[in-house]
Amino acid sequence: GQQVMQIPQYQHVQEGEDFTTYCNSSTTLSNIQWYKQRPGGHPVFLIQLVKSGEVKKQKRLTFQFGEAKKNSSLHITATQTTDVGTYFCAGRAGTASKLTFGTGTRLQVTL
Amino acid sequence: NAGVTQTPKFQVLKTGQSMTLQCAQDMNHNSMYWYRQDPGMGLRLIYYSASEGTTDKGEVPNGYNVSRLNKREFSLRLESAAPSQTSVYFCASTGGADQPQHFGDGTRLSIL
C-alpha cells in the first residue's frame, strides 16, 4: 500500500534558526496537505498543494510540492517557540477518499 | 461552532471489555475518519466513511468495528479490548477528498 515517510523524525533548533522537514511518498499524489499538532493537541490543517512544482507561503512557512508529485517540503524561516509541535504531511493518491499521513517531524525550539 | 466532538476524552478499560467511542460533527461533512496515534508515531487510519451509508477499512482495522449512524455521527467500537489498542484515537471529518480534515480533540484510551 501507499507509504509516506518524513525526515527527520525529530529536530531541535535554537530560536531564530531555520527548519525543514521532507516528505516522500511511494506513489504519485494528487494532492498533499500539511498539518501541525501541538503537544497534547490534535492535528490542525495548514495548507494544501495540488500542482506539480507548486510553492506556497504562509508568513515564515514555505511549502513545496515536487515536480513528480511524490515529495514535498516545509521550511520555516527564523523559528519561534510558537512553532513547537509535530508537522505531518498527508497525501491523497488518485481519487481516493482517504489521506495517508506521514510519520511526522517533531520540532523543538529553545531560546 | 463545535466542529468535531469526541466522547469520552479519557477511558481506562480492562482487557476483554468492550467500548464504543463516539464522534459527531456539525459541519455537514460527507466523509468521516477514525485514526489511532501511538507515541512518537503518525496517524494510522482505522476505518473511514466516504459518505453516509458507506464504510471502508483503513490500514489497521483489525479488532475494530464502525457505524455511520447518520451524516453527523460515526462511532468506533472495540468488541474485546487488548493492551495493543492502548492509544489516542482521533475522529476527523471533511467536506471532500480535496478539502482539509477537521479533527476532534481525541480520546485517550488505556487498556490494562
Side-chain angles (χ1 to χ4, degrees):
Chain A
Q2 182 188 9
Q3 292 188 328
V4 179
M5 302 297 294
Q6 278 182 256
I7 54 170
Q9 275 192 307
Y10 171 75
Q11 188 151 7
H12 182 183
V13 299
Q14 300 280 327
E15 191 177 46
E17 293 181 334
D18 291 357
F19 160 78
T20 304
T21 173
Y22 300 92
C23 176
N24 293 287
S25 170
S26 59
T27 59
T28 302
L29 302 171
S30 52
N31 62 35
I32 193 158
Q33 297 178 355
W34 284 89
Y35 292 79
K36 177 183 178 181
Q37 183 178 25
R38 293 183 188 276
H42 60 269
V44 175
F45 174 79
L46 293 176
I47 208 159
Q48 175 172 271
L49 304 169
V50 178
K51 298 177 184 176
S52 169
E54 189 170 13
V55 178
K56 285 188 176 180
K57 293 190 176 185
Q58 285 181 350
K59 297 183 181 177
R60 295 177 294 104
L61 278 60
T62 301
F63 302 84
Q64 277 193 294
F65 201 7
E67 293 291 340
K69 300 184 77 173
K70 292 182 74 172
N71 56 73
S72 183
S73 64
L74 158 59
H75 179 82
I76 302 178
T77 304
T79 54
Q80 300 176 358
T81 54
T82 53
D83 295 325
V84 164
T86 301
Y87 292 85
F88 293 99
C89 63
R92 185 171 76 100
T95 57
S97 300
K98 58 181 181 174
L99 292 172
T100 298
F101 276 78
T103 44
T105 296
R106 186 161 72 93
L107 173 63
Q108 181 63 33
V109 181
T110 50
L111 295 171
Chain B
N1 187 0
V4 179
T5 303
Q6 289 185 239
T7 55
K9 294 193 184 307
F10 302 93
Q11 185 70 46
V12 179
L13 294 177
K14 293 182 180 178
T15 297
Q17 286 186 315
S18 61
M19 164 110 199
T20 299
L21 279 59
Q22 307 287 352
C23 175
Q25 51 91 10
D26 63 1
M27 296 173 282
N28 201 34
H29 284 168
N30 288 320
S31 303
M32 298 184 73
Y33 306 83
W34 276 105
Y35 297 92
R36 61 177 288 173
Q37 184 174 37
D38 301 304
M41 294 185 69
L43 295 152
R44 292 185 291 169
L45 183 65
I46 306 170
Y47 270 94
Y48 66 103
S49 170
S51 60
E52 188 179 356
T54 69
T55 60
D56 285 288
K57 295 180 181 179
E59 277 181 80
V60 289
N62 291 346
Y64 305 94
N65 285 301
V66 289
S67 294
R68 183 74 184 266
L69 304 169
N70 46 55
K71 192 170 186 180
R72 288 187 65 247
E73 298 172 287
F74 188 38
S75 62
L76 178 71
R77 183 160 178 84
L78 287 71
E79 290 290 351
S80 179
S84 61
Q85 294 177 306
T86 292
S87 191
V88 180
Y89 290 85
F90 287 103
C91 176
S93 72
T94 182
D98 59 346
Q99 299 298 310
Q101 290 195 4
H102 297 261
F103 285 80
D105 288 339
T107 294
R108 283 150 181 80
L109 183 62
S110 292
I111 298 157
L112 308 177

